[in-house]
Amino acid sequence: MPAVGATRSSARLPPSGPALSSPPPVMSPPSPALAGNREIAATLTRIARLLWLRGDSSYRILAYEKAAEALAEYPGSVAQLALQGELRTLPGVGNAIERAVTEYVRTGRVSLLDELQEDYPEGIVELLALPGLGPRKVRALWENLRVGDVPGLLEACRAGRVAAIPGMGPRTQERLLAAAEAAMTNSALHATRWLLGTADPPAERLLQALRGMPSVQVADIAGSIRRRSPTVKDINLTAASDSENEVFAAFAALPDVALVERPVAGVLVAATHTGIPVDLRISPPTSYGNLLQYRTGSTEHNAALYKHAQLHGFTVLQQATEPQLVGKTIQPFAFVREEGVYRHLGFDWIPPELRDDKGELEAAREGHLPQLVTRRDLRGDMHVHSVWSDGKATITEMALAARERGLRYICICDHTRSLAVARGLDADRLLQQRAEIDVVNRQLGDDGPLVLAGCELDILADGTLDLPNDVLAELDFVVASIHTSLTQPRKQIMRRLTAAMRNPHVDAIGHPTGRLLLRRPAYDVDIDQLLTLAAETGTALEINSSFERLDLPGRIAREGAKLGIRFIISSDAHNPGGFDLLDYGVGEARRGWLEPRHILNTLPWPDWRKRKI
C-alpha cells in the first residue's frame, strides 16, 4: 500500500558542469505539472483509511485500496489517462475511482476526501497504518486524548497517558510506543529510499530502451541497484555514446520518464511517473569503463580504490561524469571496460555486490575473491506456498512454474494451524496435502520437478512449536518461522528460536530477523547467539528472497559462513511469478560473499537427503 502523504519526487541536479549549448526542448518540465502516480495513489489510500475509520463497507474500502496499488505501480502517467478519459482501462478502476482521480487531476482536490476529513485531523490516517491500531482504538485515542497523528501518539505513550484509556493498558501502550518509534524512523527512510524490487523493473525497462537507441553503443544499470542493495535512493544509468544530446532527447520522451530537468554536460536527471529519481550519465565510448566503475560505487569502495591509486602515483581528477586517473605523464587513463580500471591498478575485477570496502580490495589484489553463487546454481526452492494456505495457485500450477524456471525440486511449505489468517494447516490437512503431492508427482513424472512435502512451522509466543514431533517427522522439510509477538524482549525471542533450532525435525529458520524493509525493524534477536546455535545444531538459515524482506541480510550471512553454517535461498513464492524473486535472494547472498557450497539448495535433492539422514 502506498505511503500516505507521498508526493511527487523533485530530483536534484548533480554537481555542476558546463551546460549544454542548445538543450533539446523536450527537456523542460511539462506545464502545468500533472500529479504523479504515487501522489494520486496516496490520495486514494487516504480515502480508504478514512472510510475504514468511519466504519464504511469493507467492499468499498478494498476497492480504493486495490485501485491505489494498481495506480502506484502503473509505469505511465495516470493523470494523462484520466484527462484522456482512459482511466477505466486500468485494473480495479470503476466509476467512483475514475471520478475521484479525474477530479483530483483537474482540481487538486476530491470532494469525498474533503467530506471525510471534516471530523478528523490530517495525520490520523497515519495511525491506522500502525500495527495493532484499528479504527476502534484510533477513535479512542482521538476522543480521549485528542491524539491525531504519530508524533502525538509517541508523546502520549511516553507520558503514560495511553495506558489510562479503557481497554488499552500498559502492555498496549508499550506496543504502540514501539510502533510509533518505528514509524517515525521509517517515514524518514521512506522519503528517500525505495525497495530494490520496486526500483528494479522500471530500471530494466529504461535500460532496454537505452540499449535500443541507435546512438548508444553500450548501457548499464549502475549504483545501488547494480550492487543489489535492499533499498535504493534512485535509478542510476550509464551509457556510452558520441551523441549525448540525441540520447537525452530520446530518453526524455520514454513512457516511464517524467519531471525531466535541464541537463548539464553528460548528465540528465529525471524521475519516473512512480516518483523514483533517475540519473543518466553518458561518456564517450573510450572512457565508458571509468564511468561504469565510478557510478556503480559504493562511495566507500571508490574512496578506498582511489586512495590506493594515489598511493601508487596516480592523480584522481574529478570530472562531470566520472573521475579520471592521471599518471606521471599527465595523460588520463581511459578504459572501454571497467575491468581495465581494476586491472591497471593491480586488482582482479570485483563483482558489484562486494563493493562496500569490506575487504574486497585486499581479496582482489591477492586473487582470493569468492566464486559467488548465481541464480543458475539453484536446483530447488524449499519454501513455496499454495492454495492450501495463503498461496494463490495450486500445487500443480506452482510445480509447472518452477519447471519453466529450471528448478528440479520444490518443497510446499504452507503455514501451520496457529496462523489462522493464512488458513494454516493442522495435522489432518497436512496428511491430505501429502496425498495430493503424491498424485502431482505421478502426473509430473520424469520431467519433474519433484514436489516435496513440508511446512512453514509457526514458532509460538511461548516457545512451543505449532505441530507435534510425530507430524513433523513425516515431512521432507520443515522451515520454522516467527510470525507473531514480534515485540517480545530479546530473551524470549531467543528462547523461541532456540527451541526451534534444537528440535531435530526443524531443518531451517525462515526469515530469521523478521525485518520488513522500510516498514518494520527486525525483532530483538541476538545475532551472535543465532549464528552459534545454527552452527551447533546444523540448522540452515533462510535467505528469504521477498524484496520486502531479503532476510537473512548478507552481512550476517557472511559471518555465518565463517562458522560453517549452511543457508537456503527461498522464494517464499505465493504465486507462480513468485519464483522470479529468487534473483533478489541470490543478490543478497552474493552481498554476503556466499558461494554455491554455502547454499544447500544448490545440491541435487538426493545428495541433500543423504546429508539429512
Side-chain angles (χ1 to χ4, degrees):
M1 182 179 294
V4 172
T7 58
R8 282 168 283 177
S9 289
S10 176
R12 297 179 181 176
L13 282 171
S16 60
L20 294 174
S21 56
S22 55
V26 293
M27 300 304 175
S28 301
S31 181
L34 295 177
N37 294 3
R38 294 186 73 85
E39 180 182 341
I40 295 169
T43 302
L44 297 183
T45 299
R46 187 173 187 83
I47 291 172
R49 290 180 178 170
L50 287 169
L51 288 171
W52 191 27
L53 190 60
R54 194 172 71 175
D56 216 302
S57 77
S58 58
Y59 177 82
R60 190 181 186 197
I61 295 166
L62 186 62
Y64 278 93
E65 288 179 341
K66 291 295 187 183
E69 292 175 4
L71 300 192
E73 296 170 0
Y74 180 65
S77 171
V78 170
Q80 288 286 5
L81 285 182
L83 294 177
Q84 294 164 6
E86 299 176 358
L87 204 57
R88 295 287 294 276
T89 61
L90 298 184
V93 177
N95 285 328
I97 304 294
E98 182 182 36
R99 284 196 303 271
V101 172
T102 303
E103 182 183 2
Y104 184 76
V105 170
R106 293 186 183 279
T107 69
R109 307 183 68 85
V110 180
S111 302
L112 173 60
L113 182 57
D114 290 343
E115 174 194 333
L116 291 169
Q117 290 181 146
E118 288 179 358
D119 297 329
Y120 296 104
E122 183 175 347
I124 203 163
V125 292
E126 299 169 8
L127 296 178
L128 287 167
L130 298 184
L133 269 183
R136 184 181 61 81
K137 286 183 179 178
V138 169
R139 284 195 297 268
L141 286 167
W142 175 245
E143 291 166 2
N144 287 274
L145 302 178
R146 281 300 187 254
V147 168
D149 54 24
V150 174
L153 176 61
L154 195 64
E155 180 183 348
C157 287
R158 287 173 174 169
R161 292 185 285 126
V162 172
I165 298 176
M168 292 201 181
R171 183 62 180 151
T172 297
Q173 178 174 273
E174 180 184 339
R175 288 198 299 269
L176 294 181
L177 174 60
E181 289 174 339
M184 293 292 286
T185 301
N186 289 340
S187 63
L189 282 173
H190 216 303
T192 56
R193 307 293 296 182
W194 302 81
L195 295 174
L196 174 62
T198 300
D200 211 25
E204 285 291 342
R205 290 194 298 270
L206 292 171
L207 174 64
Q208 295 309 314
L210 270 175
R211 288 177 171 174
M213 295 177 186
S215 52
V216 171
Q217 294 192 14
V218 63
D220 291 281
I221 296 171
S224 49
I225 295 181
R226 189 175 182 223
R227 300 196 312 274
R228 308 316 280 168
S229 299
T231 65
V232 306
K233 67 179 180 64
D234 58 8
I235 294 171
N236 276 278
L237 298 164
T238 58
S241 176
D242 290 317
S243 307
E244 78 176 41
N245 274 8
E246 182 180 332
V247 176
F248 283 155
F251 187 83
L254 293 175
D256 274 282
V257 177
L259 301 176
V260 181
E261 294 192 6
R262 190 174 298 277
V264 295
V267 183
L268 181 144
V269 173
T272 68
H273 287 288
T274 54
I276 306 174
V278 179
D279 184 306
L280 169 61
R281 307 223 173 182
I282 297 177
S283 74
T286 53
S287 62
Y288 181 70
N290 304 63
L291 172 65
L292 179 59
Q293 188 285 317
Y294 172 63
R295 293 301 297 168
T296 295
S298 67
T299 301
E300 294 80 6
H301 173 84
N302 283 349
L305 182 67
Y306 299 147
K307 180 179 180 181
H308 170 88
Q310 290 170 332
L311 289 174
H312 288 76
F314 294 93
T315 301
V316 180
L317 300 179
Q318 184 70 41
Q319 303 296 309
T321 53
E322 84 281 346
Q324 290 188 355
L325 298 176
V326 178
K328 295 178 181 179
T329 62
I330 316 300
Q331 279 295 111
F333 291 96
F335 302 95
V336 174
R337 296 169 58 86
E338 66 173 0
E339 288 90 333
V341 178
Y342 287 104
R343 187 170 54 248
H344 196 77
L345 295 175
F347 299 103
D348 291 341
W349 177 80
I350 299 173
E353 298 92 340
L354 303 187
R355 300 182 194 178
D356 277 319
D357 191 26
K358 295 293 189 297
E360 70 276 10
L361 288 177
E362 293 80 359
R365 185 171 59 244
E366 297 165 6
H368 293 157
L369 286 169
Q371 298 300 308
L372 297 178
V373 65
T374 70
R375 171 63 182 82
R376 291 186 299 275
D377 293 318
L378 299 187
R379 294 173 181 260
D381 187 344
M382 300 305 292
H383 185 170
V384 177
H385 292 270
S386 76
V387 290
W388 280 80
S389 67
D390 60 343
K392 306 300 182 187
T394 66
I395 293 173
T396 299
E397 290 168 336
M398 296 302 284
L400 292 175
R403 177 198 288 176
E404 291 174 2
R405 290 157 177 83
L407 296 173
R408 298 305 304 155
Y409 57 89
I410 61 171
C411 188
I412 301 299
C413 284
D414 278 314
H415 293 287
T416 54
R417 58 189 177 186
S418 72
L419 212 60
V421 69
R423 298 178 59 246
L425 281 67
D426 58 16
D428 289 340
R429 291 186 67 214
L430 269 174
L431 187 63
Q432 296 167 25
Q433 185 186 68
R434 180 143 203 168
E436 180 178 317
I437 288 173
D438 290 341
V439 172
V440 171
N441 279 323
R442 287 195 296 270
Q443 293 172 341
L444 293 172
D446 293 339
D447 291 337
L450 174 65
V451 181
L452 304 170
C455 71
E456 184 175 12
L457 179 69
D458 213 35
I459 307 173
L460 304 180
D462 62 0
T464 59
L465 301 179
D466 199 21
L467 291 172
N469 283 344
D470 61 334
V471 175
L472 300 179
E474 296 299 316
L475 299 174
D476 296 309
F477 188 82
V478 174
V479 56
S481 306
I482 290 178
H483 291 110
T484 57
S485 301
L486 304 180
T487 60
Q488 286 181 330
R490 173 175 293 198
K491 185 176 181 180
Q492 182 60 22
I493 291 288
M494 293 312 302
R495 185 180 297 125
R496 296 166 71 181
L497 290 170
T498 299
M501 296 169 81
R502 292 201 184 284
N503 185 294
H505 304 296
V506 171
D507 298 290
I509 298 297
H511 39 77
T513 76
R515 74 177 185 180
L516 288 177
L517 294 162
L518 301 180
R519 285 173 52 199
R520 183 180 77 200
Y523 42 67
D524 192 5
V525 56
D526 185 324
I527 295 299
D528 291 337
Q529 186 180 351
L530 175 74
L531 297 180
T532 299
L533 277 166
E536 176 188 330
T537 62
T539 309
L541 298 180
E542 179 186 63
I543 297 176
N544 189 291
S545 298
S546 167
F547 58 75
E548 293 182 332
R549 291 187 183 275
L550 293 177
D551 182 14
L552 195 71
R555 59 181 174 78
I556 300 175
R558 184 181 179 188
E559 295 305 310
K562 295 175 184 176
L563 298 176
I565 293 169
R566 291 296 179 262
F567 305 87
I568 58 171
I569 299 176
S570 302
S571 67
D572 198 357
H574 283 66
N575 56 61
F579 289 110
D580 296 330
L581 296 175
L582 286 169
D583 289 333
Y584 295 108
V586 168
E588 191 64 22
R590 289 169 65 89
R591 286 169 54 80
W593 294 54
L594 298 190
E595 302 181 10
R597 63 189 175 91
H598 298 122
I599 311 298
L600 285 171
N601 51 312
T602 61
L603 295 169
W605 173 246
D607 294 353
W608 188 358
R609 189 169 183 272
K610 290 175 185 176
R611 291 171 64 109
K612 284 169 61 64
I613 294 172

